[in-house]
Amino acid sequence: MANIEELKQYKNIHMIGIGGISMSGIAEILKFWGFHVTGSDTSSSEVTEKLMNTGIPVTIGHNLEDVAKADVVVYSAAVRKDDIELTKAHELNIPTIERGTFLGKITKAFRNTICVSGTHGKTTTTSMVSVCFLEAMKDPSIQVGAFLKPLDGNYRVGNSEYFIIEACEYVESYLKLFPKTEIILNIDNDHLDYFGSIENIVRSFSKYVTLIPDDGLLVVNWDDIYCRTVAKNTKAKTVTFGIENETANFLARNITFDKNGFPTFDVYYNNTFYKTIRLSVPGKHNVLNALSCIAVCHEYGIEKEDIKNALAKYTGAHRRFEYIGSFNKGVSVYDDYGHHPTEINATSKALMQKEYRKSWVVFQPHTYSRTKNLLDDFAKALLDFDHIIVTDIYAAREDNTYNISSMDLVKKIESYGKKAIYIPDFDEIIKYLKERTIEGDIVLTLGAGTVTNIGPKLVDIN
């Protein structure tokens, strides 16, 4: 059971930006522990509705009265420094704590916090570890960055010492956590608007690894050169996994794919056959994710059969190559959160393992800085799709000071001899696809922004 003594100084907790995926999970955990939680957000959503249904008051807009009654105000990184509620808290001398720091306090309450980090695959791997711990009746607390069917949400409050969470490297919020175990899936050149270079990212992960206590555990991707570099920075037990690097502790061999692109593979542990595993999510990248999960579960004493059963049952997290439905008598629609070239490559390879006639991708670039910094990589990553549609860049937290547009991406793709088309209007995209796709085709909406809204509309107006 979690030791929440340090948190008990805060009876009333107000959360600004409570509709965020991590903030909402924290809010529900706090409510379960008996704290009085209120919150605000700029817009209503499924998440804010769910919070209100569980008895957490949420104001759309601002609520200075709730701020005034709070013992502490927790705010997400997206909240501006001149936010009205934040300013009010400062005026009233009410402590304010950024989400990452507050999540760190929660991880400190558990004896066994398992942090899943890496540039790609965090949500899927956190979900895989979670379902294995649930299968083994370990009763974990969980916080994951997407809706997960077995949880009917993005969090779970258990009654054990285990807390399984995603640990995000953006603005180095993962350095505020108290891990007993770390999984590092990969280290890639993302969030360059913050880090500036891959060298700085590697330095940051090196600091992150030093957070593990000497009696803790590091599970790390031995195929990744940067992961091998940062692994030197801990005295904790290190367990490695991989597909290419034969010196890894956990290896996948004899990988095959069925018509859905779902892999089956033999796991070897220290060169001895361990178990044959079948996944119900597509792609070779998910073999690596599963290996990291198997390594952690093995170290935590979870039975092989429980691992096998849990991974076979796991059908994916929300927006991770998620099947949405079909239209035009047999055109399948999928949706994926991928918004970095490496993720797009992994998704396109996973799609190519499936049986289909032609592939149609609708890609929404995410943030101007990422599009500018990785323009050439994005263009190359999209070349494997048969038909490419690009929408406007989703700004997220940024203003366009980068002199970049979606047309720059279209031109870059065309410079590689592949046709691409720019369509900014979602209704136009839906019309375009309905007029051109035929039975056996696959449509994939791709990106971390509003592009996810296209799939359900395509399917609904059948």
Side-chain angles (χ1 to χ4, degrees):
M1 174 60 187
N3 178 1
I4 59 172
E5 285 307 310
E6 191 184 325
L7 294 170
K8 281 186 176 173
Q9 60 182 304
Y10 311 121
K11 289 187 177 62
N12 300 298
I13 301 170
H14 183 71
M15 305 183 72
I16 311 173
I18 198 167
I21 200 83
S22 175
M23 288 283 277
S24 59
I26 293 170
E28 300 242 29
I29 288 169
L30 291 169
K31 183 174 189 299
F32 182 87
W33 283 343
F35 294 92
H36 179 252
V37 183
T38 59
S40 64
D41 212 303
T42 52
S43 57
S44 62
S45 64
E46 276 181 53
V47 175
T48 57
E49 290 293 321
K50 189 169 182 284
L51 288 169
M52 287 193 266
N53 288 337
T54 58
I56 297 174
V58 178
T59 303
I60 304 306
H62 297 291
N63 192 324
L64 299 181
E65 285 178 27
D66 283 344
V67 173
K69 291 175 194 165
D71 299 311
V72 66
V73 171
V74 181
Y75 62 96
S76 72
V79 173
R80 292 180 181 272
K81 286 187 171 62
D82 61 354
D83 178 85
I84 294 170
E85 292 183 357
L86 211 51
T87 305
K88 186 69 174 174
H90 292 149
E91 279 173 18
L92 298 171
N93 291 319
I94 295 166
T96 60
I97 303 178
E98 194 272 324
R99 177 205 64 85
T101 304
F102 196 80
L103 183 59
K105 287 179 183 291
I106 292 177
T107 62
K108 200 176 178 183
F110 290 86
R111 284 218 310 272
N112 239 311
T113 294
I114 299 167
C115 294
V116 181
S117 60
T119 321
H120 321 292
K122 289 186 289 291
T123 297
T124 294
T125 306
T126 307
S127 304
M128 285 178 169
V129 175
S130 297
V131 295
C132 288
F133 271 64
L134 289 169
E135 187 80 15
M137 311 293 275
K138 296 273 191 188
D139 195 18
S141 295
I142 297 162
Q143 189 172 16
V144 62
F147 187 92
L148 190 58
K149 288 189 195 88
L151 306 184
D152 192 29
N154 66 302
Y155 77 97
R156 178 184 192 272
V157 185
N159 204 12
S160 74
E161 65 192 46
Y162 304 112
F163 186 25
I164 303 163
I165 67 162
E166 279 188 45
C168 185
E169 75 280 4
Y170 184 60
V171 302
E172 297 186 290
S173 62
Y174 61 175
L175 297 183
K176 295 162 181 170
L177 305 176
F178 291 82
K180 181 70 179 282
T181 292
E182 288 179 3
I183 295 176
I184 303 182
L185 296 163
N186 40 60
I187 299 173
D188 204 351
N189 60 347
D190 199 12
H191 300 305
L192 294 175
D193 57 319
Y194 175 79
F195 288 109
S197 69
I198 186 69
E199 290 76 21
N200 288 337
I201 298 170
V202 174
R203 269 194 285 274
S204 176
F205 271 94
S206 295
K207 279 190 269 181
Y208 171 64
V209 165
T210 65
L211 301 178
I212 310 170
D214 289 357
D215 64 344
L217 173 68
L218 173 65
V219 172
V220 67
N221 180 356
W222 225 227
D223 289 350
D224 186 308
I225 186 169
Y226 298 127
C227 285
R228 294 200 297 274
T229 301
V230 304
K232 296 168 188 166
N233 293 287
T234 184
K235 293 177 182 161
K237 181 175 184 178
T238 299
V239 178
T240 62
F241 65 92
I243 295 174
E244 313 296 337
N245 191 330
E246 289 282 330
T247 64
N249 299 121
F250 282 88
L251 267 172
R253 292 182 177 145
N254 308 320
I255 304 170
T256 58
F257 297 89
D258 67 13
K259 64 180 174 46
N260 293 310
F262 298 162
T264 298
F265 54 98
D266 293 331
V267 178
Y268 281 76
Y269 175 53
N270 293 339
N271 241 0
T272 303
F273 175 75
Y274 184 81
K275 196 77 176 167
T276 299
I277 297 290
R278 185 184 68 79
L279 301 182
S280 300
V281 287
K284 196 173 180 181
H285 62 294
N286 276 322
V287 174
L288 273 173
N289 293 336
L291 282 173
S292 73
C293 165
I294 293 162
V296 165
C297 293
H298 173 78
E299 290 297 321
Y300 276 87
I302 294 176
E303 298 289 335
K304 296 177 191 177
E305 203 61 25
D306 284 338
I307 298 170
K308 177 189 169 182
N309 292 340
L311 289 175
K313 280 189 242 176
Y314 173 67
T315 56
H318 179 49
R319 300 219 59 211
R320 284 9 179 229
F321 213 129
E322 183 180 15
Y323 177 68
I324 305 301
S326 65
F327 70 102
N328 276 11
K329 295 178 182 169
V331 178
S332 300
V333 182
Y334 291 83
D335 180 46
D336 191 87
Y337 189 75
H339 55 287
H340 182 280
T342 304
E343 294 162 356
I344 296 168
N345 272 322
T347 304
S348 73
K349 284 187 173 66
L351 186 142
M352 286 160 81
Q353 301 292 347
K354 290 181 176 289
E355 291 179 5
Y356 61 92
R357 193 191 75 91
K358 294 285 183 188
S359 61
W360 303 72
V361 67
V362 182
F363 177 59
Q364 182 181 48
H366 189 268
T367 72
Y368 301 109
S369 59
R370 190 183 280 115
T371 310
K372 176 90 170 180
N373 286 325
L374 303 175
L375 188 70
D376 196 54
D377 294 335
F378 275 119
K380 287 175 180 169
L382 290 163
L383 294 176
D384 284 336
F385 296 100
D386 297 315
H387 301 277
I388 306 164
I389 300 166
V390 182
T391 76
D392 280 327
I393 296 168
Y394 184 75
R397 55 189 172 266
E398 293 182 342
D399 298 316
N400 191 7
T401 56
Y402 298 87
N403 191 29
I404 190 81
S405 76
S406 291
M407 274 310 296
D408 294 313
L409 179 56
V410 167
K411 285 172 186 165
K412 183 60 78 173
I413 293 165
E414 289 179 337
S415 75
Y416 287 108
K418 188 96 183 194
K419 183 168 165 40
I421 182 166
Y422 164 63
I423 310 179
D425 185 84
F426 284 5
D427 289 334
E428 281 298 312
I429 291 171
I430 290 163
K431 183 168 177 282
Y432 184 90
L433 289 168
K434 287 185 83 67
E435 286 172 357
R436 288 165 178 81
T437 54
I438 61 172
E439 185 182 350
D441 285 355
I442 285 182
V443 171
L444 175 71
T445 54
L446 190 60
T450 50
V451 71
T452 187
N453 299 330
I454 291 175
K457 287 183 180 174
L458 264 174
V459 173
D460 283 345
I461 53 175
N462 214 345

